[in-house]
Amino acid sequence: MINREDMLELTRRMTSARSSVSRVAGAYFDEDGYVDGTFNIHFLKLSPSERTGNLNNAKSILLSKTNEELKEYKIPKESRKPGSVWQLLDGIKESALKNDAFLDIFYEIVSEKLHPGHPAACFLYFGQYDVPAKGSDREWMEGSEEVYTYLLCTVSPLEGEYEPGKPKYGFLYPAFRERTGNEEYINIFEARHGKMR
């Protein structure tokens, strides 16, 4: 089960002034699901309005209904074999979104699954959250317990040219469980009535 407080904690570090997100990459798909263009940029190179729009897009996954729209899944150990999607996600995360070859493979996988009937977009966010320590009285303390490194993905219909609408699908990897990153789990988002119409 996902603890909603964990998700809210992550969103508090997703503001233009102090964002844990450092890079964003994505692909645009035509109505048949074929890649129609890609981008990859450092977050601080975006305009203020673009930063705000991207953060709102990313946060919509974390602010969705926990354990209803955003659910936790355990990743079977046997599925973590060479060439698996999990190995790919680990590679994308470890490269901090800077390996375009990994991203192209990921977009191909999305393309195979995506048949929206209209233009769509898949955005990937790379972030690092310095998890602050909490005392036994649950008060925040100085210093951090760990750095949680994550990928957050959104898949949305396009509204206008290159403007993603409300996400229909997405994920947070690895899951943020009990205020720590846990690579045995992934949080997967699917909006209610989530089909890309």
Side-chain angles (χ1 to χ4, degrees):
M1 294 284 284
I2 298 171
N3 183 338
R4 184 162 179 78
E5 286 304 312
D6 288 343
M7 300 299 101
L8 294 176
E9 180 175 340
L10 290 179
T11 64
R12 285 192 282 270
R13 280 302 307 274
M14 289 185 175
T15 66
S16 290
R18 54 178 204 138
S19 175
S20 61
V21 173
S22 61
R23 195 165 194 88
V24 56
Y28 299 98
F29 300 87
D30 65 19
E31 56 273 12
D32 297 317
Y34 293 106
V35 175
D36 196 26
T38 62
F39 71 93
N40 189 338
I41 190 168
H42 192 284
F43 192 73
L44 292 178
K45 289 188 176 178
L46 297 172
S47 70
S49 63
E50 288 172 331
R51 282 183 225 164
T52 299
N54 272 280
L55 289 174
N56 288 340
N57 185 49
K59 285 193 291 188
S60 66
I61 301 296
L62 304 177
L63 294 173
S64 62
K65 293 182 179 178
T66 48
N67 304 305
E68 291 181 41
E69 292 182 312
L70 184 64
K71 297 180 180 181
E72 181 180 88
Y73 292 91
K74 188 170 177 65
I75 301 166
K77 280 186 180 178
E78 59 272 16
S79 70
R80 284 189 171 278
K81 54 190 177 185
S84 69
V85 68
W86 309 113
Q87 185 184 46
L88 176 63
L89 290 179
D90 286 335
I92 292 171
K93 180 167 66 74
E94 287 163 16
S95 74
L97 292 186
K98 293 177 183 175
N99 186 316
D100 285 325
F102 285 163
L103 292 173
D104 287 343
I105 294 169
F106 179 76
Y107 300 144
E108 283 178 22
I109 292 171
V110 173
S111 178
E112 288 170 6
K113 304 288 184 187
L114 192 67
H115 302 285
H118 56 73
C122 173
F123 283 18
L124 273 171
Y125 300 90
F126 171 81
Q128 292 183 303
Y129 172 49
D130 226 356
V131 183
K134 271 190 178 180
S136 55
D137 57 0
R138 301 201 50 84
E139 290 294 317
W140 300 105
M141 300 168 63
E142 287 192 28
S144 64
E145 295 179 336
E146 71 164 294
V147 176
Y148 166 58
T149 302
Y150 64 89
L151 292 175
L152 196 153
C153 174
T154 66
V155 179
S156 313
L158 281 183
E159 294 181 353
E161 194 172 6
Y162 304 119
E163 285 296 325
K166 192 172 180 182
K168 298 294 185 182
Y169 308 102
F171 64 78
L172 174 67
Y173 176 78
F176 189 59
R177 304 180 87 233
E178 299 175 359
R179 306 190 66 244
T180 188
N182 190 323
E183 294 196 350
E184 293 182 5
Y185 294 86
I186 182 170
N187 294 339
I188 296 178
F189 167 78
E190 182 175 358
R192 285 188 172 179
H193 315 299
K195 291 194 182 299
M196 301 275 282
R197 292 192 181 90

